Amino acid sequence: MSRRELIATIIVAAIAFPLIFIFTGAVADARARAREAPFRALLGNARFEQLMDGQGGVPHYLGASLRAPDFTLPEQGGGEWKMSEQRGKVIVMNFWTVTCRPCIQEMPTIELLAEITEDWGDVEVVAVSTDRSWEEAQTIIPHTSRITSLLDVDRKVVTQQFGTKLFPETWIIDGDGVVRFRFDGALDWSNPVALDLIRAYR
């Protein structure tokens, strides 16, 4: 290689390497922004930034430091549902009651979510009612529902184990049993942003 060719190679490398570095950084940033987009859309930029800075509390939760408590509750139609037996599935768990108007308004979107995710095979939509009887809960979630409906009459799971006091509240638990997300309040769980968020944990 001649001296002129060597100098030309060095100049090209000097120009190319920073460009490659900038391009790689831009791609990584774009991917990070794409992952963040559903969370920012649901939580708002300010609350998302707070959660990323470790500021927990209400409203909402975002992280990977909490493990869902194990519990067993009666399931609509008979039998029992146990959290520890759900490993490998993403659980979208909604806490609600018939006395909560936003819960009732939100429930059709949770039913639609259950219908959409039924074909995914690795997502289960669970609604835990804190009402006094199945008769009350079934006025909103009938036997024909695709939602897995549970009953927590004494609120030993909803309040004592999860700490929930206000409804509705929805938790997303990953296949390892780790709580990844909590949304406080009503939401359209069938909208594309919510679906993208759930897909992120599959």
Side-chain angles (χ1 to χ4, degrees), residues 52-123:
M52 292 302 289
D53 287 339
Q55 299 179 43
V58 176
H60 321 304
Y61 166 82
L62 177 64
S65 60
L66 300 177
R67 182 164 290 278
D70 190 24
F71 66 86
T72 302
L73 283 174
E75 186 172 354
Q76 187 179 36
E80 293 184 328
W81 191 93
K82 189 175 179 64
M83 174 61 81
S84 62
E85 295 176 352
Q86 313 309 316
R87 295 297 180 262
K89 293 188 291 187
V90 174
I91 305 298
V92 181
M93 182 169 294
N94 177 264
F95 297 144
W96 73 287
T97 174
V98 296
T99 59
C100 164
R101 184 178 297 275
C103 299
I104 295 171
Q105 292 171 340
E106 176 188 54
M107 196 57 70
T109 77
I110 293 176
E111 177 67 51
L112 186 53
L113 173 65
E115 182 178 342
I116 292 168
T117 59
E118 188 173 39
D119 292 335
W120 294 5
D122 58 355
V123 175

Side-chain angles (χ1 to χ4, degrees), residues 32-178:
R33 287 287 174 179
R35 287 193 300 270
E36 293 174 1
F39 299 100
R40 290 182 180 275
L42 291 176
L43 305 176
N45 286 327
R47 185 56 181 146
F48 175 80
E49 296 293 348
Q50 288 177 339
L51 291 170
M52 292 302 289
D53 287 339
Q55 299 179 43
V58 176
H60 321 304
Y61 166 82
L62 177 64
S65 60
L66 300 177
R67 182 164 290 278
D70 190 24
F71 66 86
T72 302
L73 283 174
E75 186 172 354
Q76 187 179 36
E80 293 184 328
W81 191 93
K82 189 175 179 64
M83 174 61 81
S84 62
E85 295 176 352
Q86 313 309 316
R87 295 297 180 262
K89 293 188 291 187
V90 174
I91 305 298
V92 181
M93 182 169 294
N94 177 264
F95 297 144
W96 73 287
T97 174
V98 296
T99 59
C100 164
R101 184 178 297 275
C103 299
I104 295 171
Q105 292 171 340
E106 176 188 54
M107 196 57 70
T109 77
I110 293 176
E111 177 67 51
L112 186 53
L113 173 65
E115 182 178 342
I116 292 168
T117 59
E118 188 173 39
D119 292 335
W120 294 5
D122 58 355
V123 175
E124 184 170 1
V125 179
V126 179
V128 183
S129 167
T130 59
D131 295 299
R132 292 172 296 182
S133 67
W134 280 119
E135 286 71 26
E136 286 187 341
Q138 287 167 5
T139 61
I140 306 300
I141 303 181
H143 282 291
T144 56
S145 174
R146 292 177 172 85
I147 298 170
T148 298
S149 182
L150 309 179
L151 190 63
D152 183 16
V153 175
D154 299 323
R155 300 193 179 189
K156 290 182 178 178
V157 172
V158 172
T159 300
Q160 295 180 26
Q161 291 189 266
F162 281 86
T164 299
K165 297 177 181 178
L166 297 175
F167 304 105
E169 190 173 89
T170 304
W171 300 65
I172 298 179
I173 301 162
D174 71 16
D176 295 321
V178 176

Side-chain angles (χ1 to χ4, degrees), residues 18-38:
L19 290 176
I20 292 171
F21 180 78
I22 292 169
F23 176 76
T24 303
V27 169
D29 184 61
R31 286 178 178 168
R33 287 287 174 179
R35 287 193 300 270
E36 293 174 1

